[in-house]
């Protein structure tokens, strides 16, 4: 089994490692800053991810969205970098130079038989990094132009231990996010309007959302006398009162649960009366409650 150790020779004798270390000063530092922030799926989340102690569905989406390559690989070599070679490294972690053998490609082009990258890993109680020889991993990365086999992780911890649930869930995420009609990122609640019906207790709240792409997204909340409040989301220009909520652990769910603000912005509530504005706020809160929290488990670094 491979044991990690400090490199025996200077970076001048290892051009690939030198390039990766130089890139890490820019790329990994940026990833650390954003790390740890708190359409129906045709392929559901694989059973087992809900019990994963380290990753939630939202964590995998966070990592998958910026990835140009997602690779299943087996670690062949792991070398711990010296402190001066690992700028911005958080306490309790080690930065490793990894060489791995490609075993499968979920997305990405021109992935060779072997890949190289830097990854941050947690230290054990003795201050040692894990022994990674022959470990199977999932690597989520960006391609390095004109350097075949050289990858740049989308986040310092974007080398994941391979499990069937993680791989299957990543496949479903990638299937959804690469579709032309994939739900876009939510940027704001633009307008919320409640209209009272003719019967007591009857009414409809419409929520119009802003998106990063400008694509239309709307939510309709229906109240009927003596019936539970129902709602649905539409990712088209048609405001559909027959729409349904998204299934859990889908990109549509992620966009709403992780993108909507915690409460309805007052400026967006354009309902006519004070009572209508109150109902619109209640309906918005009901949508959030039905979606559930956007749970993330990745430790902040």
């Amino acid at each position: 089994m491979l044991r990690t150790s400090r490199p025996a020779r200077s970076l001048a004798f290892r051009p690939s490692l030198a390039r990766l270390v130089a890139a890490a000063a820019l790329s990994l530092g940026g990833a650390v800053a954003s790390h740890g922030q708190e359409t129906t799926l045709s392929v559901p989340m694989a059973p087992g991810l809900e019990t994963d102690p380290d990753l939630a569905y939202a964590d995998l989406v966070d990592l998958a969205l910026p990835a140009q390559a997602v690779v299943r690989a087996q670690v062949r070599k792991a070398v711990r970098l010296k402190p001066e070679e690992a700028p911005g490294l958080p306490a309790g972690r080690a930065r490793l130079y990894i060489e791995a053998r490609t075993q499968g490609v979920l997305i990405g082009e021109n992935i060779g038989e072997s890949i190289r990258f830097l990854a941050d890993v947690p230290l054990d109680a003795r201050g040692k990094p894990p022994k990674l020889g022959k470990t199977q991993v999932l690597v989520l990365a960006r391609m390095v132009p004109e350097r075949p086999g050289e990858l740049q992780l989308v986040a310092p911890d974007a080398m994941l231990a391979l499990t069937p649930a993680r791989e299957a869930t990543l496949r479903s995420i990638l299937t959804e996010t690469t579709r032309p009609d994939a739900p876009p990122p939510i940027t704001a609640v633009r307008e919320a309007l409640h209209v009272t019906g003719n019967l007591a207790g009857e009414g409809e709240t419409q929520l119009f959302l802003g998106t990063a792409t400008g694509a239309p997204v709307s939510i309709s909340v229906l109240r009927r006398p003596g019936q539970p409040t129902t709602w649905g989301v539409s990712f088209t220009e048609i405001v559909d009162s027959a729409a349904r909520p998204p299934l859990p652990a889908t990109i549509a769910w992620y966009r709403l649960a992780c993108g909507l603000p915690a409460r309805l912005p007052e400026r967006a509530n354009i309902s006519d009366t004070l009572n209508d504005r109150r109902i619109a706020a209640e309906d918005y809160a009901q949508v959030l409650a039905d979606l559930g929290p956007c749970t993330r488990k990745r430790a902040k670094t």
Side-chain angles (χ1 to χ4, degrees):
M1 181 175 290
L2 176 68
R3 295 179 181 273
T4 58
S5 61
R6 289 191 174 184
R9 298 196 292 175
S10 70
L11 294 180
F13 293 96
R14 291 174 293 160
S16 294
L17 178 52
R19 288 195 300 267
L20 284 168
V21 170
L26 298 175
S27 63
L28 290 186
V32 170
S34 62
H35 176 52
Q37 299 177 5
E38 291 223 344
T39 282
T40 300
L41 177 62
S42 57
V43 183
M45 181 179 70
L49 188 68
E50 65 275 7
T51 62
D52 191 315
D54 301 315
L55 292 170
Y57 176 82
D59 293 317
L60 288 180
V61 179
D62 292 342
L63 294 172
L65 285 174
Q68 297 172 330
V70 179
V71 183
R72 187 176 72 248
Q74 184 181 59
V75 175
R76 306 301 293 168
K77 181 179 181 180
V79 179
R80 184 177 183 177
L81 272 61
K82 298 177 182 179
E84 60 269 24
E85 298 170 348
L89 182 67
R93 303 182 78 85
R95 185 160 297 161
L96 304 181
Y97 167 73
I98 304 288
E99 292 182 2
R101 177 181 298 165
T102 302
Q103 295 185 320
V105 178
L106 279 65
I107 60 167
E109 297 181 356
N110 301 319
I111 305 296
E113 294 182 359
S114 63
I115 54 176
R116 306 177 302 279
F117 55 91
L118 298 179
D120 290 358
V121 298
L123 300 174
D124 62 19
R126 300 175 301 164
K128 302 291 185 180
K131 298 177 181 179
L132 297 176
K134 297 185 179 181
T135 299
Q136 292 187 315
V137 295
L138 290 163
V139 180
L140 297 95
R142 300 180 182 91
M143 309 292 291
V144 178
E146 301 181 1
R147 300 197 185 280
E150 197 165 301
L151 300 178
Q152 196 176 81
L153 297 189
V154 297
D157 60 343
M159 179 185 72
L160 311 176
L162 174 65
T163 69
R166 289 178 179 179
E167 181 177 2
T169 303
L170 274 172
R171 287 184 182 276
S172 69
I173 290 169
L174 296 170
T175 297
E176 281 201 278
T177 55
T178 54
R179 283 169 31 182
D181 60 346
I186 304 301
T187 58
V189 180
R190 293 193 292 107
E191 293 179 349
L193 175 66
H194 179 77
V195 178
T196 301
N198 295 325
L199 302 177
E202 183 181 54
E204 179 176 1
T205 297
Q206 293 182 349
L207 305 167
F208 298 94
L209 309 181
T211 65
T213 64
V217 178
S218 62
I219 295 173
S220 296
V221 186
L222 298 177
R223 293 182 174 222
R224 295 289 183 266
Q227 299 180 23
T229 299
T230 61
W231 66 275
V233 60
S234 173
F235 291 94
T236 69
E237 294 181 355
I238 300 174
V239 179
D240 187 1
S241 59
R244 295 291 180 264
L247 294 176
T250 63
I251 295 302
W253 172 88
Y254 171 88
R255 292 305 193 194
L256 296 178
C258 303
L260 290 173
R263 56 185 56 84
L264 179 64
E266 290 187 13
R267 57 172 177 72
N269 196 341
I270 61 171
S271 304
D272 287 339
T273 69
L274 181 62
N275 188 58
D276 287 344
R277 290 195 292 272
R278 176 185 61 79
I279 294 175
E282 290 178 356
D283 287 347
Y284 181 82
Q286 182 66 52
V287 169
L288 293 185
D290 290 347
L291 287 168
C294 176
T295 301
R296 289 180 168 97
K297 299 180 182 179
R298 287 169 66 208
K300 294 183 179 181
T301 58

